Amino acid sequence: MTDTGPRNTRQRRAVESALRRTDDFVSAQDLHGKLREIGDSVGLATVYRTLGLMAESGAVDMIRAEDGEARYRLCESEDHHHHLVCRVCGRTVEVEEPLAEKWASDMAAAHGFTDVSHTLEIFGTCLTCAESR
Amino acid sequence: MTDTGPRNTRQRRAVESALRRTDDFVSAQDLHGKLREIGDSVGLATVYRTLGLMAESGAVDMIRAEDGEARYRLCESEDHHHHLVCRVCGRTVEVEEPLAEKWASDMAAAHGFTDVSHTLEIFGTCLTCAESR
DNA sequence: CTCTCTGCAAAACATTTGCAGTCGG
DNA sequence: CCGACTGCAAATGTTTTGCAGAGAG
C-alpha cells in the first residue's frame, strides 16, 4: 500500500496554490484564467484533469452552480458539510447540518436505497451584494 | 388578469403528454428521443424552450443529475419537496422535509443572505438495481 | 529509462439563439 | 391578420479526449 500519489509537477502545484489563494468556489475556467493572469499558465485540459482527480480524492469540494457549471474549492473540513453561496459574488459560508445527514440516509434506507449520497446547497444574495444593488 | 397562458400547439401537447407517460426524471434529450420514436416528433429546440417555460411556471420539477445534466418531471405536489433518485434506473421517490426548509432560510438569514433558494437531492441505488447487479 | 502528465487542438455534449416560415386565437 | 411558436442550423460554453512530446521518479 505504498501510495506514491500524484506526481509533483509544476502544473499541479500551480493549481493547488491558486486554490489556496481563493476562498470562494471557482470554475475550472476561472482557475485557468487566474493562472494565466499571474503568468503561471496551465493548459485548460490539465486544469480539468487535476480538479477532477482532486475532487475524487476528496481534496476539493465540488458543487454545481444553478446553471450546471461545476465549481471547486479546497476542502476545509474533513466532515461532510454543505454551503451557503452568494449567487452574485460567490462568497461562501461552510455550514454543517448533522440532522440532514441522518435524515437522508434514513429516508433512503426506508425505501431500500443503498450507496446513498446527497447534495444540499443554499443559494442567496449576500448583504454586501444586496446593498450595492 | 385574463391569463391566456401559452398557446395550445401540437408540440406543447406532445411534450406534456410524454411527460405524463413517464414517472421518472428525463432530460430534454431523452424526451426529444421518445417523441421521435413514437412518431410525434418535436424540434429539440422547442423541447428545451417548452421545458424551460414549464419549469419557470412551476409545472415541472427540474433537478441536476450528478453530471450536471438537467432533468425534468411533471410536478406532483404543490408544496416544495425533494427527491430520492436511483442513479442506475432513475426511479424517483418524492419526499418532503419541512425542517430543511426552515433550516435553510434561518441559516441564510443568520448570515445576512436574501432571495434564498436551495437544492437537496438524494442519490442512491434502489433495491431492484442493487439485486440485479 | 519508463510511464505518467501535459498541451494543444479537435471532438463531444448540452443548451441557446437567429431567423424565416407557420399557425393558433 | 398578427404575434407567438416552431424548426433548423449555426453559435456557445463547458468538459472530454487523442496523441505526440516532456519530465518526474
Side-chain angles (χ1 to χ4, degrees), chain B residues 63-115:
Chain B
I63 65 177
R64 296 248 167 221
E66 287 171 319
D67 69 345
E69 187 190 44
R71 287 207 149 76
Y72 305 82
R73 198 176 89 145
L74 268 191
C75 199
E76 295 197 342
S77 63
E78 286 300 306
D79 301 335
H80 184 73
H81 52 269
H82 303 285
H83 305 92
L84 171 56
V85 186
C86 175
R87 67 164 66 83
V88 179
C89 69
R91 190 158 77 85
T92 302
V93 180
E94 220 158 269
V95 296
E96 282 188 37
E97 179 38 68
L99 293 181
E101 311 304 309
K102 182 163 169 41
W103 173 75
S105 56
D106 286 355
M107 176 68 64
H111 289 278
F113 281 58
T114 47
D115 299 325

Side-chain angles (χ1 to χ4, degrees), chain B residues 16-60:
Chain B
E16 286 180 8
S17 167
L19 281 172
R20 225 172 290 118
R21 271 181 270 109
T22 316
D23 278 339
D24 306 320
F25 278 87
V26 290
S27 67
Q29 304 277 351
D30 289 343
L31 208 51
H32 175 250
K34 290 194 178 201
L35 288 170
R36 167 172 294 183
E37 276 179 29
I38 63 175
D40 200 5
S41 205
V42 171
L44 181 56
T46 300
V47 173
Y48 273 104
R49 282 188 278 234
T50 303
L51 287 174
L53 288 174
M54 294 180 78
E56 219 175 325
S57 76
V60 298

Side-chain angles (χ1 to χ4, degrees), chain A residues 3 6-7 17-19 22-23 32-33 39 49 63 67 81 85 90 115 118 124 129:
Chain A
D3 187 355
R7 281 190 186 172
S17 167
L19 281 172
T22 316
D23 278 340
H32 174 250
R49 282 187 280 233
I63 66 177
D67 70 343
H81 52 269
V85 186
D115 299 326
H118 68 275
C129 290

Side-chain angles (χ1 to χ4, degrees), chain A residues 109-128:
Chain A
H111 289 279
F113 281 58
T114 47
D115 299 326
V116 183
S117 68
H118 68 275
T119 60
L120 167 56
E121 310 299 343
I122 311 176
F123 297 97
T125 307
C126 78
L127 195 54
T128 312

